[in-house]
């Protein structure tokens, strides 16, 4: 095997050309004086559609914001960069805000804008059922594939089971919570569980593969409760109020667009962010979520949402009753209310 | 770790000259100084951690602090069935490394017995050893299911290195001793049982020490994948609900566990190696 450290001449000029092009790409952005926002989302999901629409339709650019997005793949991975200042704005579940508020951290954060208004989990049944045939009592004595202990999908789903008088520890054959979230889809497909909760597009994928059918929506069972929100540190908000306001405006505009646009248009716009995802599945997921009304037409995270969230957290054992936080401490509604007024 | 001390104490009893006694006393002083510095280092580390957290040089939400960790020990013991989690991890680790050691010794014996077998399997063993088994954790989970994958990963991580270590020791066994047994008409089996195995007890003890760490790595990796109990489970659960104290406490207990297991093996080593002399 020969090893030529310098590379051939053609390779060298190709590399120079790429380098020059990259420099050229950077220059115009620097001249445009847009503010760069380092943005991290907790996972990549069709559930967060309005955020991708805001990027693709240029709503952020209109507000003078240049978004640098990446995905953390887990709450625990998003919080350190947020607290350390490497990320300016993050997309997380609001329960993280409750945890941060209760923590000894000297820096605190605020929720300033809401993305999803409902839990997006769908309940799948392995056996096919007629419409409206499903009754919650049917899960008794069966295997229920839930999320890992302590995560918001798990405490939400557990709350709904208890609401219907089902004790997961006693009334189910197996309450399965020890499957890591990355493995849940393949576990279901491999045959684990008679009932289980999944987000889109997994739910559509399972239906398409004939491995199950959607029979209920956790979001509808819980009712409206902000499920995903944008957060930033108090320091960042104090230093960059215009950017935060611009962010809310862009998201509100995207929400308005998503509420009325055709699913196929939305799917086409979101496609660049879901290169691995089957177009048909994406379309099915968007249709279902539109029908369920999961996207927040009002970007203000409400007080009732926080109350309901904390009720569920206390019931789920992840929060002690005396650790409940007040709305004013964790939410800044100024920006979101302005955004709603502006985007009329 | 504590090997020099018994020798110097025993030797001192029979020490004849003034100079020799002074030399032994100096050895003891040096050991005391080393111990003192080790304790100081631990205290300094804990102190810096606690102060940095209290003074907010670091974000206490992300680093936790020794005082909170200690408090969390008691909370976990009271409310979260800490004994159960410790027992689960301990049981998985011990079972895995016993199986890995036994399998490795048997396989090394087979390789020693048949040169042909060794030549055939050698490249595969080397590849299997270099391959990061942690990367296979999801595959173990799919093949073995949530309960057995933990053992599978832990055994896979330990066994290949141990086979190579023990076989290496077998090969290095003093050829003269082997020739001696052969000239007395000993069979290959007797060579194996009376020369090779006894001569390689130090190698096997060394392998035990390494396996303790590797088995724990495998068990925790397996628990991260899919567990309902164990210290790995507590670490995941704690990080999901942003309870760094729980994570740090679990890690501290893990560290304690591995130290205790190592000390048990060192004690075993002292007992076994001393007997042979």
């Amino acid at each position: 095997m020969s090893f030529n450290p310098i590379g051939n001449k053609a390779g060298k000029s190709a590399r120079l050309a790429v380098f020059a092009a990259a420099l050229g790409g950077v220059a115009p952005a620097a001249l445009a004086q847009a503010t760069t926002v380092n943005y991290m989302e907790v996972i990549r999901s069709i559930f967060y559609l309005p955020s991708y629409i805001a990027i693709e339709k240029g709503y952020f650019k209109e507000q003078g914001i240049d978004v640098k997005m990446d995905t953390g793949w887990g709450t625990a991975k998003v919080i350190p960069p947020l607290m350390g200042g490497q990320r300016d704005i993050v997309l997380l579940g609001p329960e993280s805000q409750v945890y941060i508020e209760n923590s000894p951290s000297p820096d605190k954060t605020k929720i300033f804008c809401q993305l999803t208004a409902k839990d997006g989990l769908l309940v799948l049944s392995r056996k096919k059922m007629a419409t409206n045939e499903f009754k919650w009592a049917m899960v008794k004595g069966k295997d229920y594939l839930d999320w890992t202990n302590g995560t918001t999908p798990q405490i939400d789903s557990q709350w709904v089971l208890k609401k219907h008088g089902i004790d997961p520890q006693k009334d189910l054959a197996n309450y399965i919570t020890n499957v890591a979230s990355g493995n849940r889809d393949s576990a279901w497909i491999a045959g684990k569980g008679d009932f289980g909760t999944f987000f889109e597009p997994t739910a559509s994928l399972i239906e398409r593969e004939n491995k199950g059918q959607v029979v209920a929506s956790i979001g509808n069972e819980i009712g409206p409760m902000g499920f995903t929100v944008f957060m930033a540190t108090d320091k960042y908000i104090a230093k960059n109020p215009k950017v935060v306001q611009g962010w809310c405006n862009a998201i509100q505009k995207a929400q308005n667009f998503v509420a009325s646009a055709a699913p196929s248009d939305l799917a086409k716009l979101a496609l660049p962010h879901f290169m691995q995802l089957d177009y048909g599945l994406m379309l099915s997921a968007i249709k279902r979520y539109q029908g369920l009304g999961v996207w927040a037409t009002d970007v203000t995270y409400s007080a009732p949402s926080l109350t309901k969230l904390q009720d569920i957290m206390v019931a789920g054992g992840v929060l002690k009753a005396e650790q409940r936080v007040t709305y004013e401490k964790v939410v800044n509604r100024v920006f979101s209310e302005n955004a709603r007024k502006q985007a009329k | 770790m504590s090997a020099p001390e018994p020798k110097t104490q025993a030797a001192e009893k029979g020490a004849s000259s003034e100079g020799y006694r002074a030399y032994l006393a100096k050895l003891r002083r040096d050991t005391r100084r080393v111990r003192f510095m080790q304790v100081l280092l631990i205290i300094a580390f804990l102190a810096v951690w606690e102060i940095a957290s209290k003074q907010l040089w670091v974000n206490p939400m992300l680093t936790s602090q020794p005082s909170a960790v200690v408090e969390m020990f008691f909370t976990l013991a009271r409310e979260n069935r800490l004994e159960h989690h410790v027992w689960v991890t301990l049981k998985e680790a011990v079972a895995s490394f016993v199986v890995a050691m036994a399998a490795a010794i048997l396989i090394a014996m087979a390789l020693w017995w048949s040169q042909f077998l060794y030549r055939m399997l050698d490249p595969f063993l080397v590849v299997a050893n270099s391959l990061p088994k942690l990367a296979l954790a999801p595959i173990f989970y799919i093949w073995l299911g949530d309960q057995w994958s933990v053992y599978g990963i832990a055994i896979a991580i330990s066994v290949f290195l141990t086979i190579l270590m023990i076989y290496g020791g077998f090969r290095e066994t003093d050829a003269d001793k082997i020739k001696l047994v052969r000239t007395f008409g000993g069979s290959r089996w007797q060579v194996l049982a009376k020369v090779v195995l006894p001569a390689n007890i130090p190698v096997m003890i060394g392998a035990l020490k390494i396996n303790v760490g590797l088995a724990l790595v495998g068990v925790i990796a397996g628990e991260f994948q899919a567990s309902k109990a164990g210290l790995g489970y507590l670490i995941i659960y704690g990080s999901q609900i942003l309870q760094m104290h729980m994570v740090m406490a679990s890690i501290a207990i893990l560290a304690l566990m591995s130290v205790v297991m190592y000390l048990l093996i060192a004690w075993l080593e002292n007992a076994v190696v001393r007997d042979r002399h």
Side-chain angles (χ1 to χ4, degrees):
Chain A
M1 227 173 19
S2 66
F3 176 60
N4 186 345
I6 298 175
N8 58 42
K9 283 221 170 75
K12 219 175 161 182
S13 31
R15 281 193 287 278
L16 276 174
V18 168
F19 185 57
L23 269 183
V26 165
L31 291 172
Q33 297 218 328
T35 322
T36 306
V37 169
N38 291 311
Y39 164 61
M40 188 185 262
E41 51 177 11
V42 60
I43 53 172
R44 173 61 51 96
S45 171
I46 202 71
F47 194 41
Y48 305 151
L49 184 65
S51 63
Y52 311 119
I53 299 294
I55 294 176
E56 291 302 313
K57 288 204 65 88
Y59 295 158
F60 286 119
K61 284 220 178 66
E62 279 171 11
Q63 305 285 336
I65 295 175
D66 180 24
V67 180
K68 296 265 178 294
M69 173 169 74
D70 70 338
T71 315
W73 298 109
T75 307
K77 306 233 179 62
V78 176
I79 296 201
L82 172 68
M83 307 310 292
Q86 288 91 36
R87 295 290 181 278
D88 307 317
I89 295 179
V90 299
L91 181 69
L92 280 176
E95 70 282 358
S96 314
Q97 180 64 54
V98 176
Y99 293 140
I100 293 178
E101 186 61 29
N102 272 307
S103 78
S105 169
D107 301 317
K108 294 285 193 276
T109 52
K110 288 280 183 303
I111 296 171
F112 63 85
C113 183
Q114 179 173 268
L115 186 63
T116 55
K118 257 187 202 175
D119 187 323
L121 277 177
L122 299 148
V123 181
L124 273 291
S125 156
R126 195 169 289 278
K127 268 207 323 245
K128 291 252 184 299
M129 295 196 190
T131 343
N132 295 329
E133 185 191 331
F134 174 73
K135 302 273 173 287
W136 278 95
M138 285 175 170
V139 309
K140 289 194 185 176
K142 295 281 190 299
D143 290 346
Y144 193 95
L145 178 60
D146 212 333
W147 294 69
T148 45
N149 257 337
T151 54
T152 307
Q154 186 264 331
I155 55 179
D156 282 359
S157 166
Q158 184 175 268
W159 188 89
V160 171
L161 284 171
K162 293 209 170 130
K163 171 181 159 187
H164 290 281
I166 300 164
D167 182 345
Q169 306 303 328
K170 298 208 188 77
D171 298 326
L172 297 171
N174 279 309
Y175 185 52
I176 307 169
T177 57
N178 65 335
V179 181
S181 43
N183 297 332
R184 294 185 75 250
D185 304 356
S186 25
W188 175 273
I189 304 238
K192 223 187 193 47
D194 304 306
F195 293 94
T197 55
F198 292 91
F199 289 104
E200 286 286 11
T202 309
S204 292
L205 175 68
I206 291 176
E207 288 194 319
R208 193 179 67 176
E209 300 291 310
N210 263 322
K211 298 282 186 190
Q213 185 187 339
V214 172
V215 294
S217 146
I218 299 284
N220 282 343
E221 292 292 330
I222 294 181
M225 180 181 74
F227 201 74
T228 333
V229 293
F230 293 101
M231 289 162 52
T233 54
D234 289 346
K235 274 200 200 123
Y236 184 81
I237 295 177
K239 265 215 219 136
N240 303 278
K242 286 215 181 69
V243 175
V244 175
Q245 184 64 66
W247 190 276
C248 280
N249 295 345
I251 293 293
Q252 178 69 72
K253 199 164 175 188
Q255 300 277 23
N256 293 347
F257 181 80
V258 167
S260 51
S264 47
D265 294 337
L266 295 170
K268 286 203 197 78
L269 281 167
L271 198 53
H273 299 276
F274 292 95
M275 291 312 293
Q276 314 289 37
L277 186 54
D278 178 273
Y279 183 79
L281 285 180
M282 195 161 56
L283 203 52
S284 163
I286 292 176
K287 283 195 188 130
R288 200 192 310 267
Y289 274 155
Q290 256 184 344
L292 285 173
V294 301
W295 291 308
T297 40
D298 178 358
V299 294
T300 302
Y301 183 72
S302 67
S305 282
L306 184 66
T307 311
K308 194 174 271 183
L309 171 71
Q310 297 196 98
D311 288 342
I312 295 182
M313 285 172 80
V314 170
V318 296
L319 190 71
K320 297 203 173 65
E322 58 268 19
Q323 287 175 313
R324 294 178 83 114
V325 298
T326 51
Y327 183 72
E328 292 69 33
K329 277 241 166 71
V330 297
V331 181
N332 182 327
R333 60 189 302 155
V334 168
F335 302 101
S336 43
E337 292 191 329
N338 281 343
R340 193 155 60 98
K341 289 186 203 131
Q342 277 189 17
K344 275 292 185 280
Chain B
M1 246 166 38
S2 57
E5 286 175 330
K7 282 195 199 135
T8 51
Q9 278 171 13
E12 223 187 298
K13 294 217 174 76
S16 40
S17 76
E18 186 63 43
Y20 189 41
R21 269 201 294 275
Y23 168 70
L24 291 173
K26 176 178 181 302
L27 278 182
R28 264 206 329 265
R29 260 203 319 275
D30 283 343
T31 308
R32 267 205 304 267
R33 231 179 261 152
V34 165
R35 290 277 173 267
F36 177 72
M37 287 308 290
Q38 286 171 338
V39 171
L40 200 64
L41 202 58
I42 295 178
I43 295 179
F45 170 71
L46 291 174
V48 168
W49 185 5
E50 181 82 20
I51 294 173
S53 189
K54 283 258 156 62
Q55 294 289 89
L56 303 181
W57 297 338
V58 292
N59 189 335
M61 178 180 81
L62 299 177
T63 61
S64 183
Q65 61 213 45
S67 50
V69 170
V70 170
E71 216 183 291
M72 179 54 73
F73 275 138
F74 294 112
T75 313
L76 282 175
R78 242 188 353 250
E79 299 173 15
N80 296 65
R81 302 167 65 215
L82 182 62
E83 348 63 71
H84 174 65
H85 293 296
V86 171
W87 169 244
V88 166
T89 301
L90 188 63
K91 164 185 82 168
E92 291 167 349
V94 169
S96 303
F97 95 60
V98 165
V99 170
M101 274 306 288
I105 293 176
L106 288 173
I107 295 176
M109 278 167 44
L111 291 176
W112 180 88
W113 192 270
S114 159
Q115 177 68 349
F116 179 75
L117 189 66
Y118 168 71
R119 286 179 65 190
M120 185 177 82
L121 291 182
D122 177 46
F124 300 109
L125 285 175
V126 169
V127 168
N129 184 44
S130 331
L131 184 72
K133 265 69 72 188
L134 284 182
L136 300 177
I139 296 190
F140 275 106
Y141 172 73
I142 293 175
W143 287 346
L144 299 173
D146 50 11
Q147 229 196 331
W148 298 107
S149 58
V150 175
Y151 296 97
I153 299 172
I155 293 171
I157 289 188
S158 338
V159 85
F160 296 108
L161 181 61
T162 314
I163 293 174
L164 292 176
M165 277 181 77
I166 295 182
Y167 176 75
F170 284 179
R171 264 177 96 152
E172 298 299 306
T173 311
D174 190 340
D176 288 337
K177 288 208 183 107
I178 297 179
K179 262 188 219 149
L180 186 64
V181 173
R182 290 300 221 144
T183 48
F184 281 130
S187 69
R188 281 194 87 192
W189 175 248
Q190 283 171 317
V191 171
L192 181 62
K194 297 207 180 292
V195 181
V196 174
L197 281 180
N200 282 294
I201 289 189
V203 172
M204 292 194 253
I205 301 254
L208 262 184
K209 287 181 182 166
I210 293 183
N211 269 344
V212 159
L214 291 180
L216 267 178
V217 168
V219 162
I220 295 298
E223 287 183 2
F224 277 1
Q225 273 284 295
S227 66
K228 317 178 226 216
L231 292 169
Y233 165 78
L234 280 182
I235 291 176
I236 293 282
Y237 181 67
S239 65
Q240 272 169 349
I241 60 173
L242 274 198
Q243 274 279 11
M244 264 311 157
H245 305 323
M246 196 184 284
V247 175
M248 289 299 184
S250 308
I251 294 177
I253 297 174
L254 265 177
L256 215 68
M257 200 188 272
S258 39
V259 167
V260 167
M261 285 164 86
Y262 184 91
L263 284 178
L264 282 174
I265 296 174
W267 173 86
L268 175 72
E269 175 183 35
N270 271 343
V272 169
V273 170
R274 209 187 312 187
D275 277 349
R276 297 177 63 237
H277 294 125

